[in-house]
C-alpha cells in the first residue's frame, strides 16, 4: 500500500517536472557563445602585438535549429569579413559550409546556418593570412 502511494507520487512528480521543463523550453532567449580566432603572423602561433586575436560569436536560440555566426564586439563587429564557415551536426551527421558577408554598407559580417538541433561543431577560417581557424562546439536548441 505504501509502495503504491510512493509510485503514484513519483509518477505525478515526473509528469509535473516534464510539463514545467517543456513550458520553459518554449520561451528560451537567444544565447551568444563567444569564440576566438588566433593569428599566426610569420608562422608564430602565439601571435604578436600587431596581430591580436579575433573575436567571433555564435548566436543560438533565436530559432530552432539555426546558428548565426557574427562578430563578438559591440554591434556584432569583429569576425573576419568573407571568412569560410564550415559546420557539422554531431548527432545527425549533416554538414555544410557558407561564407561570412563582406561587411559592406555598415552591416557587420554574419552568416545564418541551418544546422538542425543537437551538438554542432563550427569552424571559421579567415580568407587572408596564416591564421588558425576558430572552433566552437554548440548545443543548438
Amino acid at each position: 500500500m505504501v509502495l503504491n502511494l510512493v509510485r503514484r507520487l513519483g509518477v505525478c512528480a515526473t509528469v509535473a517536472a516534464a510539463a514545467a521543463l517543456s513550458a520553459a523550453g518554449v520561451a528560451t532567449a537567444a544565447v551568444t557563445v563567444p569564440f576566438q580566432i588566433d593569428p599566426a603572423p610569420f608562422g608564430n602561433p602565439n601571435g604578436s602585438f600587431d596581430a591580436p586575436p579575433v573575436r567571433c560569436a555564435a548566436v543560438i536560440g533565436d530559432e530552432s535549429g539555426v546558428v548565426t555566426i557574427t562578430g563578438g564586439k559591440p554591434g556584432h563587429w569583429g569576425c573576419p569579413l568573407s571568412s569560410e564557415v564550415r559546420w557539422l551536426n554531431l548527432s545527425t551527421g549533416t554538414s555544410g559550409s557558407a561564407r561570412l558577408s563582406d561587411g559592406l554598407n555598415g552591416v557587420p559580417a554574419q552568416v545564418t546556418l541551418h544546422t538542425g538541433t543537437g551538438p554542432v561543431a563550427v569552424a571559421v577560417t579567415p580568407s587572408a593570412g596564416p591564421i588558425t581557424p576558430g572552433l566552437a562546439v554548440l548545443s543548438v536548441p
Side-chain angles (χ1 to χ4, degrees):
M1 179 131 180
V2 173
L3 206 49
N4 281 338
L5 177 63
V6 171
R7 281 189 200 144
R8 287 182 186 171
L9 287 175
V11 169
C12 288
T14 303
V15 170
L21 289 176
S22 66
V26 172
T28 60
V31 175
T32 301
V33 180
F35 61 98
Q36 148 175 323
I37 299 173
D38 294 320
F42 311 109
N44 180 359
N46 297 320
S48 67
F49 68 92
D50 60 339
V54 177
R55 309 253 188 254
C56 292
V59 180
I60 55 175
D62 275 342
E63 189 178 336
S64 180
V66 175
V67 177
T68 300
I69 303 297
T70 187
K73 293 182 178 178
H76 296 293
W77 289 98
C79 213
L81 307 173
S82 303
S83 296
E84 183 179 7
V85 180
R86 294 179 182 265
W87 60 270
L88 171 66
N89 187 314
L90 300 173
S91 63
T92 64
T94 58
S95 63
S97 65
R99 190 162 289 283
L100 281 165
S101 59
D102 53 19
L104 293 177
N105 301 319
V107 178
Q110 71 175 19
V111 65
T112 301
L113 309 172
H114 297 276
T115 62
T117 60
V120 174
V122 177
V124 177
T125 306
S127 56
I131 297 177
T132 305
L135 177 67
V137 179
L138 318 161
S139 179
V140 181

